Structure formats: C-alpha cells, structure tokens
Amino acid sequence: MLVKWIRCTVVDRRGFERGQRKWAGLLGEPGFRGQGGGWSRGRPDIAHIFAFWESRAFYDSFMARSHDRLAASQVGTFKDIQVKLFDHRFDVKTGFEPRFADADVARVAHCRVHEDRAEHFALMQEKVWNPAMAGSPGMLRGLFGEAPGSEFLVLSLWQSAAEHGKYRVERVERLGLRARTAADVAALNGDVVQLEPSWTV
C-alpha cells in the first residue's frame, strides 16, 4: 500500500474546506483505498491529509488522469504544500485499514534517520514502540511507512486527544531511552491532527 501525506498552510479556510469535500470524487478511482485528514491542533492554519492507494502504479495513473480536475477547486486556498509518499512497511497494532470514522485525532511523526541506523530504527519501531502503542487505551490502529533516503512515517489513529495525551505523558520519554531513538534520528517532525469527518473519503 502507498501512503500519501500532504501538509499545507491554509490561507482561505472556508474555500479550502469546500474544496476538500470535492475529493469525494476519488471514490470511483481504481486502486484508491481511502483518504482522511484535518487541522493541526497546535497550529490551526496547518492542514494534513492522508491518502491510501493499493500501489504506486494506481496512484501514478490517477495523478496523470484525474488529479488536476479534483484539485482545481482548492487552487489559491493554501500555500507551502509538502507532499510525501511512503510505502507501507508494517502495521502498528494489527490490520491497518484507512478508515477514520471512529477516530478523533491522528498522530503523525515524520523521521529522517541516519542512513547507517535505519534498520535499527525500524527494528525498535517493531519491538519497542509498536507494542507500547498497541497496548495504549484509545489507540485504534496505525502504520509504519518508509520512503527512499531513510525517511519514515509513523501514523496512528486515536479515539480521543485525551487518550493520546496520556500515552505521551506516561511513556514516550522512557520508550525513547529504551529504543535509543536519539542515536537513530537526524530530524523529527510531528503533529496531532484533529480529524474532520467531512474530509473522509
């Protein structure tokens, strides 16, 4: 599965939201698995969108045919767009499905990892972080994705911001020491996203 993460700064909120609903047109696209997103809880002008495709071939075909028509209604409503593609490497918890209806917030972490530490980072994700996250009350499902150049995405969906907050306070520092994350990671950007039900496709 291919995971697309879009992050942008919105300059016309109402226009952007109106345009976001037009992406319902993705539903008939071959290979499309789902899309959702919302607003950053820390910076209200930042929007995050997560889209899921069966394969790169289906995604490339969509980009060549239908993308520009669907995107036209949002032109001029945002700036500073960043688009990243990741290959799904493994699930956090089990059986990731790109569904958003039961989740209140998403947590996204984008890690650039030292090249010689990439395998260790992925192993620690599997052996240390995954079990801790999977065992946290309120954590629904998630995935670990990889892009060329030792870049990784950890996306998790949570029942509520409060549940995610408890996990962070209680565990993140201790787990980071155990996984020796500081030695692996060159740069880390993260955000907590308040999901917008009307953006779910």
Side-chain angles (χ1 to χ4, degrees), residues 5-8 36-40 46-50 108 191 193 199:
W5 171 39
I6 303 158
R7 178 188 182 278
C8 57
W39 300 102
S40 163
I46 300 285
H48 295 270
I49 293 124
F50 309 98
V108 58
D191 211 347
V193 183
W199 296 13

Side-chain angles (χ1 to χ4, degrees), residues 110-118 121 146-152:
H110 174 227
C111 310
R112 288 180 197 278
V113 173
H114 298 295
E115 209 170 309
D116 59 333
R117 303 286 297 181
F121 178 78
E146 183 173 7
S150 305
E151 278 190 60
F152 297 92

Side-chain angles (χ1 to χ4, degrees), residues 66-194:
S66 314
H67 173 271
D68 292 359
R69 176 174 48 80
L70 290 173
S73 58
Q74 278 177 313
V75 169
T77 64
F78 61 86
K79 59 180 186 177
D80 304 331
I81 189 165
Q82 293 169 0
V83 178
K84 299 255 178 208
L85 298 174
F86 296 87
D87 285 312
H88 172 275
R89 187 152 160 185
F90 50 77
D91 292 342
V92 178
K93 226 165 175 173
T94 53
F96 180 83
E97 286 289 324
R99 290 182 293 108
F100 294 87
D102 54 350
D104 184 40
V105 297
R107 160 73 182 160
V108 58
H110 174 227
C111 310
R112 288 180 197 278
V113 173
H114 298 295
E115 209 170 309
D116 59 333
R117 303 286 297 181
E119 278 314 305
H120 178 263
F121 178 78
L123 185 69
M124 290 300 102
Q125 188 65 42
E126 211 164 355
K127 299 279 188 269
V128 176
W129 291 100
N130 273 15
M133 236 193 282
S136 296
M139 191 280 191
L140 300 169
R141 58 192 160 276
L143 64 79
F144 181 73
E146 183 173 7
S150 305
E151 278 190 60
F152 297 92
L153 179 82
V154 185
L155 176 66
S156 53
L157 300 178
W158 297 76
Q159 260 166 0
S160 71
E163 297 286 10
H164 175 259
K166 274 189 267 185
Y167 162 75
R168 279 195 60 76
V169 170
E170 289 166 11
R171 317 193 65 172
V172 167
E173 201 171 322
R174 190 165 38 94
L175 292 166
L177 290 170
R178 208 171 116 208
R180 298 184 38 231
T181 305
D184 293 345
V185 174
L188 170 65
N189 293 306
D191 211 347
V192 177
V193 183
Q194 187 70 47

